[in-house]
Amino acid sequence: GYGTSSKFLNFWVIFLCNGALLWSAYGLVRFSPEAAGSGLPEVKCILSGIELGNFLKPRVLLAKSLGLMLVLGAALPVGK
């Protein structure tokens, strides 16, 4: 069976993985602040003719893509 040391180790592994995901999310938002949020209001603005200078940059695409990969890898729900 599992001993207390195994449960303790499992707790710390999960805790450290969650901390790593938290810091990666923080790093992505610091890397590209425009990538924070869902992006739906920005897309609505673009479709209505308002020009957003920094939203359609490769840096935002990279941050959104990495964020999506992290969310899907963590098995979190994405979309509706």
Side-chain angles (χ1 to χ4, degrees), residues 2-60:
Y2 294 107
T4 56
S5 64
S6 177
K7 290 179 185 178
F8 184 74
L9 180 63
N10 288 343
F11 168 78
W12 281 107
V13 167
I14 291 172
F15 182 78
L16 291 174
C17 286
N18 285 336
L21 288 173
L22 175 70
W23 278 106
S24 64
Y26 174 75
L28 283 174
V29 172
R30 293 288 294 179
F31 174 72
S32 180
E34 299 87 7
S38 68
L40 290 177
E42 289 86 354
V43 170
K44 287 181 180 180
C45 287
I46 291 169
L47 291 176
S48 68
I50 299 171
E51 186 176 331
L52 299 176
N54 290 332
F55 188 69
L56 295 175
K57 300 281 183 176
R59 186 177 195 158
V60 177

